[in-house]
Amino acid sequence: MIQFILRRLIVTIPVLFGIVLIVFATSRLIAGDPCRAVLGERATDAVCEPFIKRYGLDKAIVPGLYREDRELQFRPADIPATLLDNQFAAYLGGLARGDLGDSIKFSRPVATLLIERLPATIELTILALALAMLVGIPLGLISGYRRNSAVDVGTMAFANLGVSIPVFVLGLSLAFVFALVLKDTPLSLPPSGRLSSGIAVVPLATTFGLESLDGPLRALLDFFSGFFVLTSLITGQWAALGDALRHLILPAVALGTIPLAIIARITRSSLLEVLGQDYVRTARAKGLRERTVVLRHATRNALLPVVTVIGLQLGALLSGAILTETVFNLAGVGRSVYEAITGRDYVVIQGFTIVIAFIYVGVNLIVDISYTYLDPRVRLR
């Protein structure tokens, strides 16, 4: 097991390097000037010149490649001089030190922005994926077991509808119904934000009297304090807990509908395939109860492709739900990356992307390991 994990981690090193290189190059090939995108009408040549030098944007992007006058210029003669003195080498050096750089737009460390905005996306992702799994897997199992029945047809129709509705349409529709139509009723739900006005979650550092704490431990406490549901649950802030959960319901439903439909469809098709295997017929021939055959023998092996899909969906949702976060006014990863792209904030794009890449790698590793527990025929070698 340990050797398998180490091999996978070693293999991912060139993958992560390739991701960093591609994102770095792509972000700088986007048309536009970060100085004018950030400063707007105040961006004169006299102001932009020191701005560009401050962030090292006057150096070669990679050896011999420059951006001057909003155009790319390649100078082969400069390659030896810029082999180590270029923007990409400087960024790799910062990554090696654990420094993701400072945002061009906000003049704040990218790590600080991640601490502030990643918890909102993780909270939303966990709730949305939990909804998708708790509803999608049972629907898929029932639909697969009762093939071509009314339940099967209805479930697949619901799944197709869930995949077809755009997130922004569903999100706006939910907000309209539960925030306006059902306003002042017990079913009313807040349409935006993470907490209602006048309600706040006391940070963990304040709760435990650690305001004077500094360094990585304080950053870790601040990061976990961004999980409003977890923090309010640990510290007993019940009013904040209820309010945070109510604010998560609508975006979680909007975000989890498509994964729910995909999981239901994959579960159905996988169960149908497994039910036709020889070992299932053997289990039935031995006189085992149908419930035991389906749940203990068929379902366990049918979950292998489902786990793969869940892992991919988890990585995709954690990478940021731009439309959902925009519709429900949530300051998460997706919205931050969108703002960074439109604002030509290269450093934020790179920092958030490398963190997302690490998340994908971790999720895929967990999915691979889970195969051995779901199906004993799978062995790690």
Short mmCIF file of all heavy atoms in Angstrom, two decimals, residues 183-244:
data_model
loop_
_atom_site.label_atom_id
_atom_site.label_comp_id
_atom_site.label_asym_id
_atom_site.label_seq_id
_atom_site.Cartn_x
_atom_site.Cartn_y
_atom_site.Cartn_z
N LYS A 183 -41.84 33.83 0.56
CA LYS A 183 -41.37 34.77 1.58
C LYS A 183 -42.36 34.86 2.74
O LYS A 183 -43.57 34.80 2.55
CB LYS A 183 -41.18 36.16 0.95
CG LYS A 183 -40.56 37.17 1.89
CD LYS A 183 -40.37 38.51 1.20
CE LYS A 183 -39.73 39.53 2.13
NZ LYS A 183 -39.55 40.84 1.46
N ASP A 184 -41.82 34.98 3.96
CA ASP A 184 -42.61 35.06 5.19
C ASP A 184 -43.40 33.78 5.46
O ASP A 184 -44.44 33.80 6.14
CB ASP A 184 -43.57 36.26 5.14
CG ASP A 184 -42.84 37.58 5.00
OD1 ASP A 184 -41.73 37.69 5.55
OD2 ASP A 184 -43.36 38.47 4.33
N THR A 185 -42.93 32.66 4.93
CA THR A 185 -43.51 31.35 5.24
C THR A 185 -42.42 30.48 5.86
O THR A 185 -41.24 30.80 5.77
CB THR A 185 -44.06 30.66 3.97
OG1 THR A 185 -42.95 30.31 3.12
CG2 THR A 185 -45.02 31.59 3.23
N PRO A 186 -42.80 29.38 6.51
CA PRO A 186 -41.77 28.50 7.10
C PRO A 186 -40.81 27.91 6.07
O PRO A 186 -39.72 27.47 6.45
CB PRO A 186 -42.61 27.39 7.76
CG PRO A 186 -43.94 28.02 8.02
CD PRO A 186 -44.16 28.97 6.90
N LEU A 187 -41.19 27.89 4.80
CA LEU A 187 -40.34 27.32 3.75
C LEU A 187 -39.41 28.35 3.12
O LEU A 187 -38.64 28.02 2.21
CB LEU A 187 -41.20 26.67 2.66
CG LEU A 187 -42.04 25.48 3.09
CD1 LEU A 187 -42.88 24.99 1.92
CD2 LEU A 187 -41.16 24.36 3.63
N SER A 188 -39.47 29.59 3.58
CA SER A 188 -38.63 30.64 3.00
C SER A 188 -37.16 30.36 3.29
O SER A 188 -36.79 29.95 4.39
CB SER A 188 -39.04 31.99 3.58
OG SER A 188 -38.17 33.01 3.12
N LEU A 189 -36.32 30.59 2.28
CA LEU A 189 -34.88 30.38 2.41
C LEU A 189 -34.14 31.60 1.87
O LEU A 189 -34.58 32.23 0.91
CB LEU A 189 -34.44 29.13 1.65
CG LEU A 189 -34.92 27.78 2.21
CD1 LEU A 189 -34.58 26.66 1.23
CD2 LEU A 189 -34.32 27.51 3.57
N PRO A 190 -32.98 31.94 2.44
CA PRO A 190 -32.22 33.10 1.97
C PRO A 190 -31.62 32.83 0.59
O PRO A 190 -31.15 31.73 0.32
CB PRO A 190 -31.11 33.25 3.03
CG PRO A 190 -31.03 31.92 3.71
CD PRO A 190 -32.39 31.34 3.65
N PRO A 191 -31.64 33.85 -0.29
CA PRO A 191 -31.20 33.64 -1.66
C PRO A 191 -29.72 33.91 -1.91
O PRO A 191 -29.22 33.63 -3.01
CB PRO A 191 -32.05 34.65 -2.44
CG PRO A 191 -32.22 35.78 -1.48
CD PRO A 191 -32.28 35.17 -0.10
N SER A 192 -29.00 34.48 -0.93
CA SER A 192 -27.61 34.83 -1.20
C SER A 192 -26.84 34.93 0.11
O SER A 192 -27.42 35.01 1.20
CB SER A 192 -27.52 36.16 -1.96
OG SER A 192 -28.04 37.21 -1.15
N GLY A 193 -25.51 34.96 -0.03
CA GLY A 193 -24.64 35.13 1.13
C GLY A 193 -24.47 33.84 1.92
O GLY A 193 -25.05 32.80 1.62
N ARG A 194 -23.66 33.94 2.98
CA ARG A 194 -23.41 32.79 3.85
C ARG A 194 -24.06 32.93 5.21
O ARG A 194 -24.31 31.94 5.89
CB ARG A 194 -21.89 32.59 4.04
CG ARG A 194 -21.13 32.32 2.76
CD ARG A 194 -19.69 32.01 3.04
NE ARG A 194 -19.55 30.74 3.76
CZ ARG A 194 -18.42 30.36 4.33
NH1 ARG A 194 -17.35 31.15 4.29
NH2 ARG A 194 -18.36 29.20 4.95
N LEU A 195 -24.32 34.18 5.63
CA LEU A 195 -24.96 34.44 6.92
C LEU A 195 -25.90 35.63 6.77
O LEU A 195 -25.68 36.51 5.93
CB LEU A 195 -23.93 34.73 8.00
CG LEU A 195 -23.04 33.57 8.49
CD1 LEU A 195 -21.96 34.08 9.41
CD2 LEU A 195 -23.86 32.49 9.17
N SER A 196 -26.92 35.66 7.60
CA SER A 196 -27.85 36.79 7.60
C SER A 196 -27.21 37.99 8.28
O SER A 196 -26.26 37.87 9.05
CB SER A 196 -29.14 36.41 8.33
OG SER A 196 -29.79 35.33 7.70
N SER A 197 -27.75 39.16 7.98
CA SER A 197 -27.27 40.39 8.59
C SER A 197 -27.48 40.33 10.10
O SER A 197 -28.55 39.95 10.58
CB SER A 197 -28.00 41.59 8.00
OG SER A 197 -27.60 42.78 8.62
N GLY A 198 -26.46 40.68 10.85
CA GLY A 198 -26.55 40.68 12.30
C GLY A 198 -26.09 39.39 12.94
O GLY A 198 -26.00 39.30 14.17
N ILE A 199 -25.80 38.37 12.14
CA ILE A 199 -25.31 37.09 12.67
C ILE A 199 -23.88 36.88 12.19
O ILE A 199 -23.57 37.06 11.01
CB ILE A 199 -26.20 35.91 12.20
CG1 ILE A 199 -27.60 36.07 12.77
CG2 ILE A 199 -25.59 34.58 12.62
CD1 ILE A 199 -28.55 34.95 12.38
N ALA A 200 -23.02 36.52 13.11
CA ALA A 200 -21.61 36.28 12.78
C ALA A 200 -21.12 35.06 13.53
O ALA A 200 -21.63 34.72 14.61
CB ALA A 200 -20.76 37.50 13.13
N VAL A 201 -20.13 34.40 12.94
CA VAL A 201 -19.51 33.25 13.57
C VAL A 201 -18.22 33.70 14.24
O VAL A 201 -17.33 34.27 13.58
CB VAL A 201 -19.21 32.14 12.54
CG1 VAL A 201 -18.44 30.98 13.18
CG2 VAL A 201 -20.50 31.63 11.91
N VAL A 202 -18.12 33.50 15.53
CA VAL A 202 -16.92 33.90 16.27
C VAL A 202 -15.77 32.98 15.87
O VAL A 202 -15.89 31.76 15.94
CB VAL A 202 -17.16 33.81 17.79
CG1 VAL A 202 -15.90 34.22 18.55
CG2 VAL A 202 -18.34 34.68 18.20
N PRO A 203 -14.62 33.53 15.41
CA PRO A 203 -13.50 32.69 14.98
C PRO A 203 -12.98 31.80 16.12
O PRO A 203 -13.14 32.11 17.30
CB PRO A 203 -12.45 33.72 14.54
CG PRO A 203 -13.20 34.97 14.27
CD PRO A 203 -14.36 34.96 15.23
N LEU A 204 -12.33 30.71 15.73
CA LEU A 204 -11.80 29.78 16.72
C LEU A 204 -10.72 30.41 17.57
O LEU A 204 -10.62 30.12 18.76
CB LEU A 204 -11.24 28.54 16.00
CG LEU A 204 -12.26 27.65 15.29
CD1 LEU A 204 -11.55 26.56 14.52
CD2 LEU A 204 -13.21 27.03 16.31
N ALA A 205 -9.89 31.28 16.96
CA ALA A 205 -8.84 31.93 17.72
C ALA A 205 -9.42 32.78 18.84
O ALA A 205 -8.89 32.81 19.96
CB ALA A 205 -7.97 32.79 16.79
N THR A 206 -10.52 33.48 18.58
CA THR A 206 -11.17 34.28 19.61
C THR A 206 -11.85 33.41 20.64
O THR A 206 -11.79 33.67 21.85
CB THR A 206 -12.21 35.22 18.95
OG1 THR A 206 -11.57 36.02 17.96
CG2 THR A 206 -12.86 36.11 19.99
N THR A 207 -12.49 32.33 20.20
CA THR A 207 -13.19 31.44 21.13
C THR A 207 -12.24 30.81 22.13
O THR A 207 -12.55 30.70 23.32
CB THR A 207 -13.92 30.33 20.34
OG1 THR A 207 -14.81 30.94 19.40
CG2 THR A 207 -14.71 29.43 21.28
N PHE A 208 -11.06 30.40 21.66
CA PHE A 208 -10.10 29.72 22.52
C PHE A 208 -9.07 30.66 23.12
O PHE A 208 -8.10 30.22 23.75
CB PHE A 208 -9.38 28.62 21.73
CG PHE A 208 -10.30 27.55 21.24
CD1 PHE A 208 -10.26 27.14 19.91
CD2 PHE A 208 -11.23 26.95 22.08
CE1 PHE A 208 -11.11 26.15 19.44
CE2 PHE A 208 -12.09 25.95 21.62
CZ PHE A 208 -12.03 25.56 20.30
N GLY A 209 -9.26 31.98 22.93
CA GLY A 209 -8.35 32.95 23.53
C GLY A 209 -6.96 32.93 22.94
O GLY A 209 -5.97 33.13 23.66
N LEU A 210 -6.87 32.72 21.63
CA LEU A 210 -5.56 32.62 20.98
C LEU A 210 -5.37 33.76 19.97
O LEU A 210 -4.72 33.59 18.94
CB LEU A 210 -5.44 31.28 20.26
CG LEU A 210 -5.55 30.02 21.14
CD1 LEU A 210 -5.55 28.76 20.29
CD2 LEU A 210 -4.40 29.99 22.15
N GLU A 211 -5.91 34.93 20.26
CA GLU A 211 -5.79 36.05 19.34
C GLU A 211 -4.35 36.46 19.10
O GLU A 211 -3.99 36.97 18.03
CB GLU A 211 -6.57 37.27 19.85
CG GLU A 211 -8.07 37.05 19.94
CD GLU A 211 -8.48 36.60 21.33
OE1 GLU A 211 -7.65 35.98 22.01
OE2 GLU A 211 -9.64 36.85 21.72
N SER A 212 -3.48 36.27 20.11
CA SER A 212 -2.09 36.67 19.98
C SER A 212 -1.26 35.66 19.19
O SER A 212 -0.10 35.92 18.86
CB SER A 212 -1.47 36.85 21.37
OG SER A 212 -1.54 35.65 22.12
N LEU A 213 -1.84 34.51 18.87
CA LEU A 213 -1.11 33.47 18.14
C LEU A 213 -0.82 33.96 16.72
O LEU A 213 -1.64 34.62 16.09
CB LEU A 213 -1.94 32.20 18.09
CG LEU A 213 -1.24 30.94 17.55
CD1 LEU A 213 -0.12 30.51 18.47
CD2 LEU A 213 -2.26 29.80 17.39
N ASP A 214 0.37 33.63 16.25
CA ASP A 214 0.78 34.07 14.91
C ASP A 214 1.44 32.91 14.18
O ASP A 214 1.75 31.89 14.77
CB ASP A 214 1.75 35.25 15.02
CG ASP A 214 1.82 36.05 13.73
OD1 ASP A 214 1.09 35.71 12.79
OD2 ASP A 214 2.62 37.01 13.67
N GLY A 215 1.64 33.09 12.88
CA GLY A 215 2.33 32.08 12.11
C GLY A 215 1.40 31.04 11.53
O GLY A 215 0.19 31.24 11.40
N PRO A 216 1.94 29.87 11.19
CA PRO A 216 1.15 28.81 10.53
C PRO A 216 -0.03 28.33 11.37
O PRO A 216 -1.09 28.02 10.82
CB PRO A 216 2.17 27.69 10.30
CG PRO A 216 3.50 28.37 10.29
CD PRO A 216 3.37 29.50 11.25
N LEU A 217 0.14 28.26 12.70
CA LEU A 217 -0.96 27.79 13.54
C LEU A 217 -2.14 28.76 13.50
O LEU A 217 -3.30 28.33 13.46
CB LEU A 217 -0.48 27.60 14.99
CG LEU A 217 0.49 26.43 15.21
CD1 LEU A 217 0.93 26.38 16.67
CD2 LEU A 217 -0.17 25.11 14.82
N ARG A 218 -1.85 30.04 13.49
CA ARG A 218 -2.93 31.02 13.40
C ARG A 218 -3.61 30.95 12.04
O ARG A 218 -4.85 31.04 11.93
CB ARG A 218 -2.37 32.43 13.63
CG ARG A 218 -3.43 33.54 13.50
CD ARG A 218 -4.60 33.30 14.48
NE ARG A 218 -5.66 34.26 14.31
CZ ARG A 218 -5.73 35.44 14.95
NH1 ARG A 218 -4.76 35.78 15.80
NH2 ARG A 218 -6.72 36.25 14.75
N ALA A 219 -2.81 30.76 10.98
CA ALA A 219 -3.40 30.62 9.65
C ALA A 219 -4.29 29.38 9.57
O ALA A 219 -5.36 29.41 8.95
CB ALA A 219 -2.29 30.53 8.60
N LEU A 220 -3.87 28.30 10.25
CA LEU A 220 -4.68 27.08 10.26
C LEU A 220 -5.99 27.30 11.00
O LEU A 220 -7.06 26.85 10.56
CB LEU A 220 -3.88 25.95 10.90
CG LEU A 220 -4.50 24.55 10.82
CD1 LEU A 220 -4.63 24.11 9.37
CD2 LEU A 220 -3.66 23.55 11.62
N LEU A 221 -5.93 28.01 12.13
CA LEU A 221 -7.15 28.31 12.87
C LEU A 221 -8.09 29.20 12.05
O LEU A 221 -9.31 28.98 12.03
CB LEU A 221 -6.81 29.00 14.20
CG LEU A 221 -6.37 28.11 15.36
CD1 LEU A 221 -6.00 28.96 16.56
CD2 LEU A 221 -7.46 27.11 15.73
N ASP A 222 -7.52 30.19 11.38
CA ASP A 222 -8.34 31.07 10.55
C ASP A 222 -8.98 30.30 9.39
O ASP A 222 -10.12 30.58 9.00
CB ASP A 222 -7.50 32.22 10.00
CG ASP A 222 -7.08 33.20 11.09
OD1 ASP A 222 -7.72 33.20 12.16
OD2 ASP A 222 -6.10 33.94 10.87
N PHE A 223 -8.23 29.33 8.85
CA PHE A 223 -8.77 28.53 7.76
C PHE A 223 -9.98 27.72 8.23
O PHE A 223 -11.03 27.72 7.57
CB PHE A 223 -7.68 27.59 7.22
CG PHE A 223 -8.15 26.66 6.15
CD1 PHE A 223 -8.46 27.12 4.88
CD2 PHE A 223 -8.31 25.31 6.42
CE1 PHE A 223 -8.90 26.26 3.89
CE2 PHE A 223 -8.75 24.43 5.44
CZ PHE A 223 -9.05 24.91 4.18
N PHE A 224 -9.86 27.05 9.36
CA PHE A 224 -10.98 26.25 9.86
C PHE A 224 -12.12 27.14 10.36
O PHE A 224 -13.28 26.71 10.36
CB PHE A 224 -10.51 25.31 10.98
CG PHE A 224 -9.80 24.09 10.48
CD1 PHE A 224 -8.43 23.97 10.60
CD2 PHE A 224 -10.49 23.08 9.85
CE1 PHE A 224 -7.77 22.85 10.13
CE2 PHE A 224 -9.85 21.96 9.37
CZ PHE A 224 -8.47 21.84 9.50
N SER A 225 -11.81 28.36 10.76
CA SER A 225 -12.87 29.28 11.16
C SER A 225 -13.75 29.67 9.97
O SER A 225 -14.90 30.07 10.15
CB SER A 225 -12.27 30.55 11.78
OG SER A 225 -11.58 30.24 12.98
N GLY A 226 -13.19 29.55 8.75
CA GLY A 226 -13.98 29.85 7.55
C GLY A 226 -15.06 28.83 7.27
O GLY A 226 -15.98 29.11 6.50
N PHE A 227 -14.98 27.65 7.92
CA PHE A 227 -16.06 26.67 7.81
C PHE A 227 -17.12 27.02 8.85
O PHE A 227 -17.06 26.58 9.99
CB PHE A 227 -15.52 25.26 8.05
CG PHE A 227 -14.53 24.79 7.03
CD1 PHE A 227 -13.17 25.01 7.20
CD2 PHE A 227 -14.95 24.12 5.89
CE1 PHE A 227 -12.25 24.58 6.26
CE2 PHE A 227 -14.04 23.69 4.94
CZ PHE A 227 -12.69 23.92 5.13
N PHE A 228 -18.09 27.81 8.44
CA PHE A 228 -19.07 28.34 9.39
C PHE A 228 -19.86 27.23 10.08
O PHE A 228 -20.13 27.31 11.27
CB PHE A 228 -20.01 29.30 8.69
CG PHE A 228 -19.37 30.60 8.28
CD1 PHE A 228 -20.04 31.49 7.44
CD2 PHE A 228 -18.12 30.94 8.74
CE1 PHE A 228 -19.45 32.69 7.08
CE2 PHE A 228 -17.51 32.14 8.38
CZ PHE A 228 -18.19 33.01 7.54
N VAL A 229 -20.23 26.21 9.33
CA VAL A 229 -21.01 25.11 9.92
C VAL A 229 -20.18 24.38 10.96
O VAL A 229 -20.64 24.13 12.08
CB VAL A 229 -21.49 24.15 8.82
CG1 VAL A 229 -22.17 22.93 9.44
CG2 VAL A 229 -22.46 24.86 7.87
N LEU A 230 -18.95 24.02 10.62
CA LEU A 230 -18.08 23.28 11.53
C LEU A 230 -17.73 24.12 12.75
O LEU A 230 -17.79 23.64 13.90
CB LEU A 230 -16.81 22.85 10.80
CG LEU A 230 -15.77 22.10 11.64
CD1 LEU A 230 -16.34 20.78 12.13
CD2 LEU A 230 -14.49 21.89 10.83
N THR A 231 -17.35 25.37 12.53
CA THR A 231 -16.95 26.24 13.64
C THR A 231 -18.10 26.48 14.61
O THR A 231 -17.93 26.40 15.83
CB THR A 231 -16.43 27.59 13.10
OG1 THR A 231 -15.31 27.34 12.24
CG2 THR A 231 -16.00 28.49 14.23
N SER A 232 -19.28 26.79 14.07
CA SER A 232 -20.43 27.05 14.95
C SER A 232 -20.86 25.79 15.68
O SER A 232 -21.34 25.85 16.83
CB SER A 232 -21.60 27.61 14.13
OG SER A 232 -21.95 26.73 13.08
N LEU A 233 -20.66 24.62 15.06
CA LEU A 233 -21.00 23.37 15.72
C LEU A 233 -20.03 23.06 16.86
O LEU A 233 -20.45 22.66 17.95
CB LEU A 233 -20.98 22.23 14.69
CG LEU A 233 -21.36 20.83 15.21
CD1 LEU A 233 -22.80 20.82 15.70
CD2 LEU A 233 -21.16 19.79 14.12
N ILE A 234 -18.76 23.29 16.63
CA ILE A 234 -17.75 23.02 17.66
C ILE A 234 -17.90 23.97 18.84
O ILE A 234 -17.79 23.56 20.00
CB ILE A 234 -16.33 23.13 17.06
CG1 ILE A 234 -16.10 22.01 16.05
CG2 ILE A 234 -15.27 23.09 18.15
CD1 ILE A 234 -14.78 22.11 15.32
N THR A 235 -18.15 25.22 18.54
CA THR A 235 -18.20 26.24 19.60
C THR A 235 -19.59 26.44 20.18
O THR A 235 -19.78 27.27 21.07
CB THR A 235 -17.68 27.58 19.05
OG1 THR A 235 -18.47 27.96 17.91
CG2 THR A 235 -16.22 27.46 18.65
N GLY A 236 -20.59 25.70 19.69
CA GLY A 236 -21.93 25.81 20.25
C GLY A 236 -22.68 27.07 19.87
O GLY A 236 -23.57 27.51 20.61
N GLN A 237 -22.37 27.65 18.73
CA GLN A 237 -23.09 28.83 18.25
C GLN A 237 -24.29 28.36 17.42
O GLN A 237 -24.25 28.35 16.19
CB GLN A 237 -22.15 29.72 17.42
CG GLN A 237 -20.90 30.15 18.17
CD GLN A 237 -19.95 30.96 17.31
OE1 GLN A 237 -20.32 32.00 16.75
NE2 GLN A 237 -18.72 30.50 17.20
N TRP A 238 -25.34 27.98 18.11
CA TRP A 238 -26.46 27.29 17.46
C TRP A 238 -27.24 28.19 16.51
O TRP A 238 -27.71 27.74 15.46
CB TRP A 238 -27.38 26.68 18.51
CG TRP A 238 -26.65 25.87 19.52
CD1 TRP A 238 -26.57 26.07 20.86
CD2 TRP A 238 -25.85 24.70 19.26
NE1 TRP A 238 -25.78 25.12 21.47
CE2 TRP A 238 -25.33 24.25 20.49
CE3 TRP A 238 -25.52 23.99 18.11
CZ2 TRP A 238 -24.50 23.15 20.61
CZ3 TRP A 238 -24.69 22.89 18.20
CH2 TRP A 238 -24.20 22.47 19.45
N ALA A 239 -27.37 29.45 16.85
CA ALA A 239 -28.09 30.36 15.95
C ALA A 239 -27.32 30.53 14.64
O ALA A 239 -27.90 30.50 13.55
CB ALA A 239 -28.28 31.72 16.62
N ALA A 240 -26.00 30.67 14.74
CA ALA A 240 -25.18 30.79 13.54
C ALA A 240 -25.17 29.49 12.74
O ALA A 240 -25.16 29.51 11.51
CB ALA A 240 -23.75 31.18 13.92
N LEU A 241 -25.20 28.35 13.44
CA LEU A 241 -25.22 27.06 12.77
C LEU A 241 -26.49 26.91 11.92
O LEU A 241 -26.42 26.53 10.73
CB LEU A 241 -25.14 25.93 13.79
CG LEU A 241 -25.31 24.50 13.25
CD1 LEU A 241 -24.20 24.17 12.26
CD2 LEU A 241 -25.32 23.49 14.40
N GLY A 242 -27.63 27.19 12.50
CA GLY A 242 -28.88 27.09 11.76
C GLY A 242 -28.93 28.05 10.59
O GLY A 242 -29.40 27.69 9.50
N ASP A 243 -28.44 29.27 10.81
CA ASP A 243 -28.47 30.26 9.73
C ASP A 243 -27.52 29.87 8.60
O ASP A 243 -27.86 30.03 7.42
CB ASP A 243 -28.08 31.63 10.30
CG ASP A 243 -28.34 32.75 9.32
OD1 ASP A 243 -29.52 33.02 9.01
OD2 ASP A 243 -27.36 33.35 8.84
N ALA A 244 -26.34 29.36 8.93
CA ALA A 244 -25.38 28.95 7.90
C ALA A 244 -25.93 27.79 7.08
O ALA A 244 -25.77 27.75 5.85
CB ALA A 244 -24.05 28.56 8.55
#
